[in-house]
Amino acid sequence: LAGRARGHPLAALSVITTATVALLVADVALGARLQTSSILGYSPHTAARFTGFGNTAYAVLAASALITAIVLCARRGSSRPAAAAAAALLALVVVVDGAPWLGADVGGILSLVPVYGLVVLALSGRRLTWRTVLIAGAATAVVLALATGIDLLRPPDARTHLGRFVADAIDDPSSFTTTISRKWATNLRVFRQSIWTWMVPIVAVFSLYVLVVAKGWRRLLARGSVLRLGVVAALGLGLLGWLVNDSGVVVTAL
């Protein structure tokens, strides 16, 4: 069905990403039952989590929503209605991924809010500066604090790992550094677990060659185009996803 889509070179891709976003949002709203033991979900054998979105589903959702929003604006010529629809979609994904009673994904908040926020500003016609980057960082802190506060208001047995982490850090400040160190050690361990993880830097080098050495920026992604914005935002999501998640290379790869 996606192959029958017309009107833009990426129309077929956007049909697939739109369907993916719809499926993941509907799934997590109904209890995330499709996540358990699925190919891109979480495994009960590792006991990493049993609710919300794992890193793999988050990565797929984040990229799919971004592609859908970018292609929508590229097809509509960055019109105001298209930009507003894209902003609404990205905001919905942030809520679904980060809300404690839905996706409960802290890493998602730390990466989606700044990147999506800057994308929305760019789509609205505003120029991105260091000031807007700082504003995006401040907005990320506000959203994270809001999610933390909501989670802490819930009963202790209903809290997610975010609420438990903050509660433990209040009781024992040393647990903060212990948890961060453990997550970063896990990040490095996951990268060394499989030879396939080296495909990520290989693809990155190849992509840089196509875009920079072979002048792909000029031929494929014109300056100021919506598609160039999408590529830069996707790279930003991959980099931030790697830094703030304990299986970061998986996020970057997906």
Side-chain angles (χ1 to χ4, degrees), residues 172-192:
D172 181 15
S174 64
S175 65
F176 176 84
T177 56
T178 300
T179 301
I180 298 300
S181 300
R182 175 177 56 80
K183 284 184 173 292
W184 186 246
T186 303
N187 203 342
L188 296 177
R189 186 177 71 252
V190 170
F191 188 84
R192 295 192 298 262

Side-chain angles (χ1 to χ4, degrees), residues 60-236:
V60 173
L61 176 64
S64 295
L66 175 65
I67 292 171
T68 296
I70 291 297
V71 175
L72 172 64
C73 291
R75 296 181 68 174
R76 303 297 180 183
S78 298
S79 63
R80 282 192 174 184
L89 171 64
L90 298 180
L92 172 65
V93 169
V94 169
V95 173
V96 168
D97 184 71
W101 62 92
L102 292 172
D105 184 17
V106 181
I109 294 176
L110 294 175
S111 56
L112 293 181
V113 174
V115 174
Y116 281 2
L118 292 174
V119 167
V120 170
L121 287 175
L123 291 177
S124 66
R126 298 183 182 180
R127 185 182 178 185
L128 300 185
T129 62
W130 285 112
R131 182 171 179 270
T132 57
V133 172
L134 291 176
I135 292 174
T140 303
V142 170
V143 174
L144 182 61
L146 180 62
T148 302
I150 293 174
D151 205 16
L152 289 174
L153 291 175
R154 306 168 82 194
D157 58 343
R159 292 173 184 167
T160 67
H161 53 291
L162 174 60
R164 293 194 298 269
F165 168 68
V166 173
D168 291 342
I170 294 175
D171 294 336
D172 181 15
S174 64
S175 65
F176 176 84
T177 56
T178 300
T179 301
I180 298 300
S181 300
R182 175 177 56 80
K183 284 184 173 292
W184 186 246
T186 303
N187 203 342
L188 296 177
R189 186 177 71 252
V190 170
F191 188 84
R192 295 192 298 262
Q193 274 184 338
S194 171
I195 192 174
W196 293 107
T197 57
W198 288 101
M199 289 301 297
V200 175
I202 290 173
V203 170
V205 171
F206 178 77
S207 300
L208 286 174
Y209 172 82
V210 171
L211 294 174
V212 179
V213 180
K215 308 299 183 183
W217 282 118
R218 299 177 183 176
R219 293 186 294 107
L220 303 175
L221 305 167
R223 181 182 295 275
S225 68
V226 177
L227 293 181
R228 177 181 281 213
L229 171 65
V231 169
V232 173
L235 293 175

